Amino acid sequence: HIQGRFEGTKYTEGLAATNQIVVGGPFLIGHKIEVGTRDSGILTVDGRPVCGGFPSSYTGAGFSLTYNSEGEVPDVVPEGNEKRIVHMSLPLGVKVSVYQWNNYVDVKIEMSPQPSQDGVCGNANGNQADDTTHSIIHRVGARVRPSDNILSGKAMIEFTPQMQKMMARECAATKRASAEASCSTSLGVPAGEIVVQSCMFDECFGMNVRARSHAKTYA
């Protein structure tokens, strides 16, 4: 499994950015590798800090990590940041590179298509048209089920009165009802819980990256 956590930052004007990633599950024989932002200090294997020096490396059971500045970055090195990359060499030929910046991370995943593969990076079926945010949310949901979550720490879940008003006015009642049922079922959490309400908001407006900013216009 590869899971990511996305949260808004003051540097992105509230827009979500990747701030933590975890690799684990059966193909790592129960081991878990986590990488967060430089500010978070998270670079662990099975909850224990590794690669304390820079550059450095770590070898585990069937996988290895190299922590250095080698390789091209996806975009540019953000101002005030040092180039630091965690290179993961994993079973099944999977390679993950995590570009560790002060307040967010960039992630590059190289792997061959796997059966039933899906998630925020798409389903690797060669059809980019079904890899939109709306399509992905429809297939796999807007959240990872709490019982399936392997990330450490807790995500910051926000659902404000303004978001409630926006959803009541701009998301049709039928859509809200189907979103509530879908979110409650997929998350295994009763309707009314804040995580379900936040999930409903994403089901209604997930295709609009400025939805949360727009919600702030509701008094």
Side-chain angles (χ1 to χ4, degrees), residues 48-142:
R48 294 186 295 274
V50 297
C51 297
F54 185 82
S56 57
S57 61
Y58 175 88
T59 301
F63 65 91
S64 63
L65 310 179
T66 305
Y67 190 34
N68 58 34
S69 61
E70 298 177 13
E72 295 185 7
V73 299
D75 191 2
V76 297
V77 177
E79 184 178 354
N81 282 252
E82 179 185 357
K83 183 181 175 186
R84 293 196 174 202
I85 309 171
V86 181
H87 306 273
M88 305 183 195
S89 181
L90 308 169
L92 304 178
V94 177
K95 296 185 182 299
V96 177
S97 299
V98 184
Y99 304 82
Q100 194 182 41
W101 312 120
N102 293 346
N103 50 71
Y104 72 98
V105 299
D106 285 318
V107 181
K108 178 182 178 181
I109 301 172
E110 300 175 79
M111 61 186 292
S112 58
Q114 301 296 312
S116 303
Q117 178 179 333
D118 211 340
V120 294
C121 294
N123 54 18
N125 66 353
N127 177 17
Q128 294 183 6
D130 66 5
D131 289 336
T132 63
T133 299
H134 182 268
S135 298
I136 292 169
I137 288 176
H138 179 73
R139 289 196 304 269
V140 302

